[in-house]
Amino acid sequence: MLSVDLWTSIGLMALSCVVFLSSLGMPKPRFGLGPGAYPRVVSIVLFMLAAALAFGSWKSRAEEARRLKIAPGGFRRILVLTVVTLAYIQLLKVLGFVYLTPFFLMVVLYIFGYRKPLASVAIGVGTTPALYVVFELTFKVLLPEFTLF
Amino acid sequence: MTNLTHGLLLALEPTTFALMVLSVLGGIVVGALPGMTSSMGIILLLPFTYRMDEKAALLMLAGMYCGSMMGGSFSAILLRTPGTPSAAATLLDGYPLTEQGKAGKALTTAVVSSFAGGLVSTVCLVLIAPTLARVALEFGAAEYFSLAVFGLTIMASASGKNILKGLIAGCVGLLVSTVGIDMVMGRERFTFGILSLSNGFALLPVLIGIFAVSQVLAEAEVLKQPGEVVRQVTDTRLAASELRSIAFPIAIGCVIGTIIGVIPGTGGSIACFLAYQEAQRWSKNREKFGHGALEGVAAPEAANNAVTGGALVPMLTLGIPGDVVTSVMLGALMLIGVRPGPLLFMEDPDVAYTLLSGMFLIQFVMLALGLASIRAAKSVLAVPYNILMPVIMVLCVVGAYTLQNSLWDVGVAVAFGVVGYFMRRMSYPGAPLVLGVILGPMIEDQLNRALLIARNDWTVLLRRPISLMFLCMAVLSIVFSVVSVRRSTKQSVAASS
């Protein structure tokens, strides 16, 4: 089985190749750096570093370098939290901050293992207006508004 | 002196002072909560500071920095869990004191020592920073390029056990900074036709993602319960003999912390252990260390707060951060419109000297609030994580949104949060990546200028003595780091066999 470090270094080498090749087509001025020269230099350095990491992890037989250790159930929670947050961001455009945030907070509280329904509602409903007052009214930041109708 | 007095008057303006007090209090709370770091506190504070006067914003960020450094000792003493990495040495004697029913004395020692450390390092900051800024005014493009490279390598080599991963993170940060329209010819780079990428990745969403969202995801992985906090914190007064016994360890902590702070790439966690060791070595009661000695609390706490002023020296004068927290501070200052570097003292003396004078005030505010909050500390530490983290997630979303009222930035913050989480799990440090994003445009711009002046002669970087010195230091920092990691690996292998 290939180690995590080896996989990431292969990915990083691929990334540096993409950057290097993309920068080849960029214009070259007579003097100074063009838009492509600097990313090209960085990509070469990154490739060499990633190659060194790949060589090191290939040589190493340490078991801890092979696996990505995540707590039982942890990956599922992280995945759900990320998906819920991305859905929240998408829905903010139409449902607005004030209406959506209490529900988002209640769901995230549940993901974090908080199992008191009434308290969850109180936290969701209490925190949202507080943030709204601080940002929208005090700092004049226009938070996303309800635009569905 | 006139500048400092003027700065002091500006810092004492009622609104500015009130905001500074609030930020110090916030810093103490952030520092006290395990899992909440100084960097995270500064990032969460940033969205509140956009629309403020830059001097008030600057003092709030400094207040958060200093307050959180002190707050870390509260959980180290009461919970045996350091609130910040810089408080790791404090628990060695702090928690045994709590077990002996002397939590109040330990906390008072921590507060007094933090105050002394902060005050001494602020004096050094005031004495060194303007002088160093004058020297740095002589730097040209080649020197700035080499200095930025040195800053990046030193951060990469100091941020983790594997320097290779630190350097890779730094390079990825530099690549991230190239996305968008380039500064020289105005051509789009690596945007893949996505309009939102034309301006590149804004710094704040990257900061929020790498330091705050990734922390929330890490907390979601392992659901923690709040630690068991001591029921009563009593007897907070220190006797005259106890005050005398901690005076010398405090002095040791102040000296070590300030020196360590000024050296780029070091930071509070190194300073606190070094100060602890030295205090033990010079103590008449060295056998008490580890079993509940007040000296063992005083030295590391003085040291970690003495780092704050020292670490601000290279950041303010050269634009190069001294540690992870000041790299976040550097990004934060740029976001509120303050450009750290030698010109700050020439072009914006009001801002620079308000910070220097404000740092003095912050230490006194920290002492007063620290002593006042000792008895309330146990209530703060009892805040459940499963309530705190969802609220922080919402703050991250709002914080990323407020920069440009853009949900794209929020998405960027979440994406970098996921990247930051996996970086943590795979032992890649986040600080070099962020520093790469911050320093990337400067490195490219200064290299371009140096090459334009030298008509594409790359040896200009080696022909100028200061530039050569910085490049040599960059190489040395990598070599030194590799050698020290190999040595410690050999020692641990020898110890285990």
Side-chain angles (χ1 to χ4, degrees):
Chain A
M1 188 178 71
L2 291 177
S3 74
V4 172
D5 279 352
L6 197 52
W7 277 116
T8 42
S9 44
I10 289 168
L12 287 164
M13 282 191 278
L15 172 74
S16 47
C17 286
V18 170
V19 172
F20 184 85
L21 293 172
S22 309
S23 65
L24 283 177
M26 293 179 187
K28 291 168 190 159
R30 195 164 164 226
F31 293 114
L33 292 172
Y38 173 70
R40 208 153 44 235
V41 172
V42 178
S43 68
I44 292 168
V45 176
L46 179 63
F47 186 90
M48 290 193 296
L49 291 169
L53 182 68
F55 182 70
S57 59
W58 176 69
K59 257 180 70 180
S60 160
R61 290 185 171 80
E63 188 58 32
E64 65 267 25
R66 294 186 178 277
R67 285 185 185 169
L68 189 63
K69 286 177 191 163
I70 295 180
F75 187 73
R76 195 167 46 106
R77 272 194 298 276
I78 290 165
L79 191 68
V80 173
L81 179 58
T82 308
V83 170
V84 166
T85 308
L86 290 174
Y88 169 63
I89 295 166
Q90 285 301 312
L91 289 172
L92 269 175
K93 287 177 202 167
V94 282
L95 295 179
F97 179 81
V98 174
Y99 298 112
L100 191 60
T101 304
F103 295 101
F104 174 69
L105 266 170
M106 284 183 256
V107 173
V108 179
L109 280 163
Y110 187 84
I111 295 169
F112 272 90
Y114 196 72
R115 298 285 187 269
K116 295 175 183 167
L118 279 177
S120 292
V121 173
I123 292 164
V125 174
T127 309
T128 309
L131 287 172
Y132 182 82
V133 168
V134 169
F135 283 98
E136 182 104 16
L137 303 182
T138 313
F139 294 117
K140 310 290 178 204
V141 175
L142 297 172
L143 294 169
E145 287 181 0
F146 183 83
T147 55
L148 193 59
F149 310 121
Chain B
M1 200 64 192
T2 322
N3 281 330
L4 276 175
T5 317
H6 184 59
L8 188 65
L9 290 173
L10 290 172
L12 278 170
E13 279 177 9
T15 317
T16 310
F17 186 74
L19 290 169
M20 191 174 74
V21 171
L22 269 178
S23 70
V24 174
L25 189 63
I28 294 172
V29 172
V30 163
L33 293 167
M36 294 275 286
T37 57
S38 307
S39 316
M40 198 169 171
I42 291 167
I43 291 163
L44 292 177
L45 182 67
L46 255 177
F48 297 94
T49 59
Y50 289 152
R51 283 151 180 85
M52 278 182 195
D53 167 55
E54 56 188 11
K55 291 183 278 293
L58 192 56
L59 287 177
M60 282 190 84
L61 294 170
M64 172 64 75
Y65 179 28
C66 296
S68 59
M69 280 296 206
M70 190 189 76
S73 65
F74 283 37
S75 54
I77 290 167
L78 295 176
L79 287 179
R80 205 167 181 262
T81 309
T84 58
S86 301
T90 309
L91 66 85
L92 298 176
D93 280 280
Y95 193 69
L97 281 165
T98 299
E99 287 180 316
Q100 294 162 24
K102 294 177 184 170
K105 280 183 188 292
L107 288 168
T108 306
T109 304
V111 172
V112 171
S113 310
S114 298
F115 164 72
L119 203 60
V120 168
S121 76
T122 304
V123 171
C124 291
L125 172 69
V126 170
L127 292 176
I128 300 171
T131 316
L132 191 60
R134 273 194 290 277
V135 173
L137 277 174
E138 304 299 319
F139 288 6
E143 284 81 6
Y144 272 117
F145 166 78
S146 306
L147 178 63
V149 170
F150 168 60
L152 199 59
T153 54
I154 200 113
M155 184 61 70
S157 55
S159 301
K161 285 179 186 169
N162 191 335
I163 186 179
L164 212 50
K165 290 187 176 179
L167 290 170
I168 286 173
C171 278
V172 172
L174 291 177
L175 282 183
V176 168
S177 76
T178 63
V179 175
I181 296 170
D182 97 291
M183 291 176 291
V184 184
M185 298 177 84
R187 193 181 190 282
E188 282 195 0
R189 292 187 296 199
F190 316 119
T191 56
F192 309 106
I194 302 168
L195 194 63
S196 302
L197 280 178
S198 300
N199 290 326
F201 291 107
L203 179 59
L204 184 69
V206 178
L207 276 173
I208 288 177
I210 295 290
F211 287 109
V213 177
S214 68
Q215 180 69 37
V216 176
L217 294 177
E219 297 291 338
E221 182 197 335
V222 187
L223 297 179
K224 281 191 284 189
Q225 296 302 317
E228 199 174 307
V229 190
V230 64
R231 280 167 191 263
Q232 287 296 325
V233 178
T234 51
D235 194 16
T236 55
R237 280 192 198 163
L238 292 177
S241 60
E242 288 168 330
L243 275 172
R244 275 196 300 276
S245 75
I246 61 170
F248 189 60
I250 287 177
I252 290 175
C254 290
V255 173
I256 289 176
T258 307
I259 294 171
I260 293 280
V262 175
I263 301 169
T266 47
S269 27
I270 297 172
C272 69
F273 278 107
L274 209 57
Y276 183 86
Q277 281 172 4
E278 287 307 306
Q280 186 178 21
R281 199 153 68 92
W282 291 92
S283 172
K284 288 173 189 166
N285 310 312
R286 68 187 69 162
E287 71 285 349
K288 284 188 182 171
F289 274 69
H291 303 286
L294 284 177
E295 296 105 301
V297 174
E301 275 308 304
N304 65 28
N305 267 74
V307 164
T308 55
L312 286 176
V313 172
M315 193 204 72
L316 282 177
T317 57
L318 305 173
I320 298 298
D323 59 8
V324 176
V325 188
T326 42
S327 71
V328 175
M329 275 281 278
L330 178 67
L333 296 192
M334 287 160 78
L335 283 165
I336 59 168
V338 176
R339 181 90 207 178
L343 289 175
L344 179 68
F345 287 83
M346 303 295 291
E347 292 175 350
D348 231 342
D350 269 8
V351 171
Y353 286 98
T354 303
L355 174 64
L356 296 189
S357 307
M359 282 290 285
F360 279 110
L361 284 178
I362 284 168
Q363 308 310 324
F364 287 97
V365 170
M366 200 174 74
L367 176 70
L369 290 177
L371 291 174
S373 57
I374 284 176
R375 286 176 197 276
K378 61 190 177 76
S379 314
V380 173
L381 295 174
V383 173
Y385 287 92
N386 48 12
I387 294 178
L388 193 64
M389 288 300 148
V391 176
I392 289 175
M393 194 60 157
V394 174
L395 276 176
C396 290
V397 169
V398 177
Y401 179 80
T402 52
L403 181 66
Q404 308 178 88
N405 288 5
S406 155
L407 287 171
W408 165 265
D409 284 339
V410 185
V412 169
V414 174
F416 273 95
V418 174
V419 170
Y421 166 76
F422 281 105
M423 283 177 72
R424 279 166 190 253
R425 302 302 296 142
M426 291 189 273
S427 309
Y428 284 86
L433 188 145
V434 167
L435 198 60
V437 177
I438 295 170
L439 294 180
M442 176 184 164
I443 290 177
E444 184 175 11
D445 184 38
Q446 299 296 344
L447 180 62
N448 184 48
R449 283 181 198 206
L451 290 177
L452 278 174
I453 294 165
R455 302 203 146 231
N456 280 5
D457 181 6
W458 284 75
T459 60
V460 68
L461 302 171
L462 307 174
R463 279 190 280 113
R464 295 183 61 110
I466 297 175
S467 169
L468 179 64
M469 181 190 79
F470 282 130
L471 288 177
C472 287
M473 283 162 69
V475 173
L476 280 175
S477 73
I478 295 170
V479 172
F480 179 75
S481 174
V482 170
V483 169
S484 61
V485 167
R486 285 199 170 177
R487 192 180 295 161
S488 64
T489 311
K490 274 183 187 172
Q491 280 171 353
S492 58
V493 168
S496 61
S497 63

